[in-house]
Amino acid sequence: MEQQMPVIRISVRSLVEFILREGDIDNRTGGGPDAEAMQLGGKIHRRIQKRMGSNYHAEVPLKTEVECEGFLLRVEGRADGLIDEDGTILIDEIKGVLCALDKIQKPVGVHLAQAKCYAWMYGSQHECASMGVQMTYCQMETEEIKRFRQEYTFEALDIWFMELVREYEKWAKFQVEWRKIRNASAKEAVFPFAYRKGQKELAASVYRTILRKKKLFIQAPTGVGKTMAAVFPAVKALGEGLGEKIFYLTAKTITRTVAEQAFSKLKEQGLRCKVITLTAKEKICFCERTECNPDDCPYAKGHYDRVNDAVYELLTDTDEMSREALEAQAKKHRVCPFEMALDVSVWVDAVICDYNYVFDPNAHLRRFFSEGVSGEYLFLIDEAHNLVERGRQMYSAQIYKEDFLTVKRLVKTESPKLSKRLEECNRILLTMKKECENYQILDSVSPIYLKLVNVMSEMENYLEDCDDRGIRDTVLDLYFSVRSFLNIYERLDDSYVIYCELLHDNRFMLKLFCVNPASGLQEFLDMGRSAVFFSATLLPIQYYKRLLSTEKDNYAIYAESSFDPANRLLVSGADVSTRYTLRTEEMYGRYAQYIRRTVKAKRGNYLAFFPSYRFMEAVYDAFLESQTEEEKAGTECVLQSQFMNEEAREIFLETFEETREGSLVGFCVMGGIFSEGIDLDREKLIGAFIVGTGLPQVCNEREILKNYFDKEGMQGFDYAYLYPGMNKVLQAAGRVIRTEEDKGVILLLDDRFRESRCRETFPREWRDCKVCRLDEIEERVAGFWERSVR
């Protein structure tokens, strides 16, 4: 049987943008003819297409395969329109722009190239002697149209297209040859450790999920080894041709490091795999300010003229794609390290990055997630419990009345026209504000929609000529806010609530609030082959299945803990409460006594997590007052502050690494930077005090969530308050037991932990949670430690 040739797929847009781009990076304009049109451009497309006659065919899918040396190159895409004028065929390429049309004197090169690709594809399939190309530019505010027409012989198109393919062929050939090397090594890869309890079954479940093109939700306690249990089968799937790229997605830097370590371990055993971690632009930029234009950044000037050579050299010289290697290569070729890293990500086998690179409608990687051309991507989504709130943020947008006034005052002298447009928006928002006492649910924002489109266009014109950096930055901030608002407006469906609110600082906000991010996330999940959501706190799992995917047949598994329950004391304090009506000096003192007596029973390092800074400080003061002089001398305390920078955070954590004779108590806020994503194993942390059930404070947005889910028949209080709160509790408690050798105590200090609705969210391994009172705690803790050393 003849072996099939490997197929390399690329979209028309990706092909022309990759090969034909040139010149500088310049972010000083956002809506010119060479800019990415916003989502509202899609509406313009459809409107123009509907106006055309019966001889106009919209959204015509086209693809072709070109035989190259050892592989087939499949180029595919969708032409905006195909026009049949009495036998003469024209390809129509539509672009929505915000700039004035008189500034467009000729078609943008990459736009014209896209149309020419479609013309060649259609002409080759229908044996046309010649083809016409029409570039349609539409000003999105006025809907005024400017067209450019050109005709080409098919022979000329054929020469041009084949030259384009030849330029790309070396890249595709590298991909084919590298995949052979990678796949061979992946087939030989073996699991690098002895399997822990349940870990082999976990890995098998991930592989089956990928094989069947499904989605899997994994609840796996800390220490099960879920990172390697996800990465290893995904790598094996790549080797079997069941995927083309792994995206390891996470919200935390520390979990990115764990993922890097997992890939490194496999590479130590012979896996050939190129892995890149995408670093935020602000962190990797070589300049003091991220001013991405040729006047302010030498790496932006001529970037596109040099970047392809930089990327190809890196890919063919080494498998090492570390931040240090990327920075060295970028400096060598004088290109932007951030943009070069994004280009490198196209060619590697695994990308470790933040959620927003895949799911954010404003920041996702266009290289992979545009034009609706899906790939065989494998999504490994770590700490997936974070994706609910992150998803809500990514698919929501808001504008503030005061921002329009601020910009109006700045530009009124220089640009009366922009000032007028801003005042029109301000006036509508002022009317809304007068009718809003606290917050108000709205049916629509149509009255302001067109005004925002108008102001976008004027801001675009203004920014092209603005030289004052201070004014420019302020206008640009509003520009991006309005652009995001208009983009999200195009997404509005029944998973949104539109509301306006008078905030505590007297600012007035209009918000498109995505209460259920499932459909937005699903749009991008559908562009891949398979997805695995995993976390130590994915409970209750049905809550996450409903809010992270729209599909009803997703898999879910619960990985059993490999820890000996005898190594952990879990108790619930029955005589304390964080209810607002019970927050008295006496109650703060009682909480302080729980901490004091536990520390007295066993010296060591502890973390105490509180519902707020105010509550934390009140208990801290009471703790100091309750101690004897001897206890004060033997106990060190450190407090989380509200505005800790990275250095202060590191100092806080380093305190737990130090060896000491006495005890250390860290006072923190639940749900903050120290209640998730930190590893303090063995003697570095032997206990945690969880003060309160973590319920979010009652506010308008939480009440909107509650009411929405009540109407959907989904227990609104639980969705808005209980589940997010208990997730914080589980995360904080998870700081104590990190390895199989760890021993420690977890105190759940709130009488509400005895309620059935709270206990129903407990993980299975918390079945042994016992209720106790303050007068029992010292004896309970001392007894646990006595038993644990026997």
Side-chain angles (χ1 to χ4, degrees):
M1 184 177 173
E2 190 175 336
Q3 191 172 7
Q4 276 191 322
M5 292 180 75
V7 176
I8 297 296
R9 297 166 64 238
I10 188 169
S11 70
V12 166
R13 179 174 182 167
S14 296
L15 176 65
V16 300
E17 286 187 350
F18 181 69
I19 296 298
L20 301 178
R21 59 188 177 171
E22 60 185 7
D24 310 326
I25 297 173
D26 195 341
N27 70 347
R28 289 174 296 190
T29 57
D34 58 344
E36 165 85 345
M38 300 179 298
Q39 278 199 306
L40 62 93
K43 184 177 282 188
I44 295 290
H45 276 56
R46 293 188 292 274
R47 203 170 290 163
I48 292 171
Q49 289 163 343
K50 285 178 181 177
R51 290 179 194 155
M52 306 300 285
S54 58
N55 64 339
Y56 190 96
H57 307 280
E59 303 298 326
V60 180
L62 292 166
K63 67 179 176 182
T64 189
E65 287 185 350
V66 181
E67 189 169 336
C68 301
E69 186 183 340
F71 64 94
L72 291 174
L73 180 66
R74 180 182 297 161
V75 185
E76 55 194 338
R78 191 180 296 270
D80 291 330
L82 188 147
I83 308 168
D84 186 346
E85 294 185 344
D86 298 323
T88 301
I89 304 297
L90 284 94
I91 295 295
D92 189 26
E93 184 70 17
I94 304 169
K95 298 295 179 184
V97 297
L98 288 165
C99 66
L101 290 181
D102 59 12
K103 293 184 178 180
I104 305 174
Q105 299 301 316
K106 61 178 182 178
V108 175
V110 290
H111 296 169
L112 182 59
Q114 280 180 256
K116 287 170 71 176
C117 283
Y118 292 129
W120 180 89
M121 291 159 80
Y122 185 90
S124 66
Q125 291 167 13
H126 295 83
E127 299 181 352
C128 299
S130 64
M131 289 289 297
V133 167
Q134 176 173 282
M135 291 303 309
T136 301
Y137 287 97
C138 179
Q139 212 289 334
M140 288 194 285
E141 176 191 358
T142 63
E143 297 193 20
E144 181 187 354
I145 286 174
K146 187 170 187 176
R147 291 188 170 97
F148 300 89
R149 280 196 177 192
Q150 289 175 255
E151 191 166 327
Y152 300 91
T153 64
F154 181 76
E155 183 182 2
L157 283 172
D158 191 52
I159 293 169
W160 175 85
F161 184 78
M162 288 305 163
E163 178 60 31
L164 189 68
V165 168
R166 276 193 293 273
E167 285 281 323
Y168 188 74
E169 189 171 355
K170 75 168 185 178
W171 295 88
K173 187 175 181 180
F174 157 77
Q175 200 169 9
V176 170
E177 291 175 350
W178 171 252
R179 282 181 180 176
K180 288 178 184 176
I181 295 168
R182 179 201 70 191
N183 292 353
S185 69
K187 287 176 182 177
E188 297 297 318
V190 295
F191 200 78
F193 308 109
Y195 281 109
R196 298 177 188 176
K197 179 184 175 182
Q199 197 177 25
K200 189 172 185 178
E201 292 76 12
L202 206 59
S205 297
V206 171
Y207 187 85
R208 274 195 303 272
T209 300
I210 294 169
L211 180 66
R212 297 170 184 173
K213 299 186 177 183
K214 304 292 282 187
K215 295 170 185 62
L216 172 66
F217 288 77
I218 300 174
Q219 158 62 26
T222 301
V224 170
K226 55 186 176 293
T227 302
M228 187 60 81
V231 168
F232 177 71
V235 166
K236 296 295 283 185
L238 283 190
E240 298 295 335
L242 300 178
E244 62 183 82
K245 192 183 299 287
I246 297 168
F247 284 93
Y248 192 103
L249 308 175
T250 178
K252 304 282 182 182
T253 302
I254 191 164
T255 42
R256 276 168 238 167
T257 304
V258 172
E260 289 168 349
Q261 291 168 348
F263 282 106
S264 294
K265 192 70 181 175
L266 292 171
K267 289 166 82 171
E268 284 172 14
Q269 300 192 335
L271 176 68
R272 296 291 304 278
C273 185
K274 297 181 190 288
V275 183
I276 189 171
T277 299
L278 296 181
T279 304
K281 183 190 291 187
E282 293 73 19
K283 291 185 177 180
I284 203 171
C285 180
F286 293 146
C287 304
E288 286 187 21
R289 287 169 56 96
T290 52
E291 298 286 349
C292 306
N293 65 76
D295 294 337
D296 292 306
C297 176
Y299 300 95
K301 189 170 181 62
H303 166 90
Y304 292 118
D305 299 328
R306 301 183 297 272
V307 70
N308 282 8
D309 290 339
V311 171
Y312 191 79
E313 180 182 86
L314 183 69
L315 290 169
T316 52
D317 283 359
T318 180
D319 294 356
E320 177 62 34
M321 302 292 155
S322 66
R323 177 171 172 176
E324 293 73 23
L326 291 166
E327 288 178 343
Q329 186 74 353
K331 285 179 178 176
K332 177 182 175 182
H333 288 265
R334 291 187 67 77
V335 294
C336 168
F338 177 73
E339 289 294 333
M340 188 193 78
L342 297 185
D343 282 338
V344 171
S345 72
V346 173
W347 307 99
V348 300
D349 309 298
V351 181
I352 302 170
C353 60
D354 188 86
Y355 301 145
N356 68 305
Y357 287 101
V358 171
F359 297 120
D360 193 319
N362 295 313
H364 65 264
L365 296 169
R366 284 197 299 115
R367 293 155 175 82
F368 306 104
F369 308 111
S370 290
E371 287 196 27
V373 178
S374 62
E376 291 290 288
Y377 308 133
L378 310 180
F379 299 120
L380 305 181
I381 304 165
D382 198 357
E383 302 293 347
H385 62 275
N386 286 307
L387 191 53
V388 173
E389 286 303 324
R390 282 290 300 276
R392 284 186 178 131
Q393 292 168 15
M394 288 188 284
Y395 300 113
S396 298
Q398 56 278 325
I399 52 176
Y400 299 89
K401 174 188 174 299
E402 291 70 24
D403 294 345
F404 290 86
L405 269 180
T406 299
V407 173
K408 178 193 166 188
R409 292 181 185 124
L410 287 174
V411 304
K412 64 181 179 182
T413 304
E414 292 181 53
S415 179
K417 194 172 180 183
L418 174 55
S419 179
K420 180 184 175 184
R421 297 296 197 199
L422 290 162
E423 176 55 28
E424 289 171 353
C425 294
N426 178 62
R427 203 173 295 130
I428 294 173
L429 291 169
L430 180 60
T431 301
M432 289 181 176
K433 182 178 180 179
K434 288 177 178 177
E435 297 172 356
C436 178
E437 293 182 7
N438 177 11
Y439 80 97
Q440 185 176 13
I441 304 296
L442 304 172
D443 294 327
S444 169
V445 287
S446 298
I448 201 170
Y449 170 78
L450 290 176
K451 299 297 183 185
L452 290 173
V453 174
N454 295 345
V455 86
M456 274 286 290
S457 181
E458 282 307 318
M459 280 195 288
E460 174 61 35
N461 293 333
Y462 178 84
L463 286 166
E464 285 188 7
D465 301 318
C466 179
D467 296 322
D468 186 309
R469 178 170 282 173
I471 294 176
R472 178 183 175 76
D473 287 349
T474 304
V475 176
L476 205 56
D477 285 344
L478 179 60
Y479 175 89
F480 286 129
S481 293
V482 172
R483 187 174 76 171
S484 175
F485 193 91
L486 292 172
N487 279 343
I488 296 300
Y489 178 87
E490 295 300 313
R491 293 178 162 270
L492 290 180
D493 58 21
D494 58 8
S495 64
Y496 279 81
V497 172
I498 306 170
Y499 76 97
C500 57
E501 181 178 11
L502 191 60
L503 303 174
H504 296 302
D505 59 2
N506 209 35
R507 297 184 83 203
F508 182 71
M509 176 182 72
L510 175 61
K511 184 163 186 174
L512 310 176
F513 182 32
C514 179
V515 289
N516 185 352
S519 59
L521 296 169
Q522 189 71 46
E523 176 187 334
F524 292 97
L525 291 170
D526 286 342
M527 295 183 190
R529 175 190 177 100
S530 185
V532 179
F533 302 85
F534 52 102
S535 169
T537 59
L538 214 58
L539 294 172
I541 211 153
Q542 290 301 326
Y543 166 76
Y544 291 100
K545 288 178 75 174
R546 285 174 181 162
L547 297 187
L548 297 181
S549 171
T550 59
E551 294 176 356
K552 306 300 182 189
D553 59 347
N554 295 324
Y555 300 154
I557 58 172
Y558 194 119
E560 293 292 339
S561 174
S562 58
F563 295 140
D564 183 352
N567 289 341
R568 183 212 63 219
L569 175 67
L570 178 66
V571 296
S572 171
D575 50 356
V576 281
S577 177
T578 58
R579 288 182 175 88
Y580 283 99
T581 54
L582 298 177
R583 292 187 182 186
T584 61
E585 293 301 318
E586 181 189 354
M587 186 60 71
Y588 297 142
R590 191 176 287 271
Y591 274 111
Q593 283 296 330
Y594 264 104
I595 298 171
R596 175 177 171 266
R597 295 182 189 188
T598 302
V599 174
K600 187 178 177 183
K602 172 69 175 177
R603 71 176 173 80
N605 295 350
Y606 296 85
L607 279 171
F609 297 96
F610 296 89
S612 68
Y613 284 99
R614 183 178 295 178
F615 202 111
M616 176 187 77
E617 289 160 3
V619 174
Y620 170 70
D621 291 341
F623 178 68
L624 294 182
E625 288 179 18
S626 71
Q627 288 181 299
T628 65
E629 290 303 317
E630 184 181 351
E631 287 171 346
K632 286 179 180 177
T635 307
E636 183 181 350
C637 296
V638 288
L639 272 75
Q640 177 183 346
S641 64
Q642 279 186 279
F643 306 106
M644 294 179 99
N645 58 25
E646 202 162 320
E647 184 182 0
R649 296 175 199 174
E650 288 174 6
I651 292 170
F652 184 99
L653 291 174
E654 284 168 4
T655 313
F656 286 82
E657 306 276 349
E658 298 167 5
T659 304
R660 58 176 49 79
E661 291 287 321
S663 294
L664 171 68
V665 182
F667 288 75
C668 309
V669 172
M670 205 185 317
I673 51 177
F674 300 118
S675 62
E676 185 174 344
I678 62 168
D679 278 305
L680 297 170
D681 58 1
R682 304 193 183 184
E683 298 300 314
K684 295 171 190 172
L685 186 69
I686 66 165
F689 307 93
I690 316 298
V691 178
T693 54
L695 300 186
Q697 287 190 347
V698 175
C699 65
N700 292 336
E701 196 151 281
R702 285 286 138 188
E703 288 300 292
I704 289 169
L705 284 171
K706 177 181 175 295
N707 295 335
Y708 173 88
F709 287 111
D710 275 337
K711 288 177 183 175
E712 296 290 313
M714 291 186 190
Q715 300 167 309
F717 177 83
D718 294 352
Y719 273 62
Y721 293 99
L722 180 64
Y723 298 154
M726 286 304 297
N727 190 275
K728 293 180 196 174
V729 169
L730 297 175
Q731 281 293 327
R735 299 313 96 208
V736 178
I737 304 294
R738 308 300 296 172
T739 71
E740 291 182 352
E741 292 77 30
D742 286 354
K743 296 176 181 179
V745 299
I746 300 169
L747 276 65
L748 306 177
L749 299 178
D750 195 306
D751 60 359
R752 283 176 287 189
F753 283 117
R754 293 186 299 164
E755 296 175 2
S756 60
R757 71 191 317 169
C758 279
R759 290 195 164 250
E760 284 168 4
T761 67
F762 281 11
R764 293 174 187 172
E765 52 272 20
W766 281 19
R767 285 181 295 238
D768 60 345
C769 182
K770 300 291 192 299
V771 176
C772 80
R773 304 182 68 82
L774 178 59
D775 57 10
E776 304 168 335
I777 193 63
E778 189 173 343
E779 184 181 346
R780 287 274 189 99
V781 173
F784 164 75
W785 287 111
E786 282 176 19
R787 291 190 301 275
S788 69
V789 296
R790 286 175 190 166

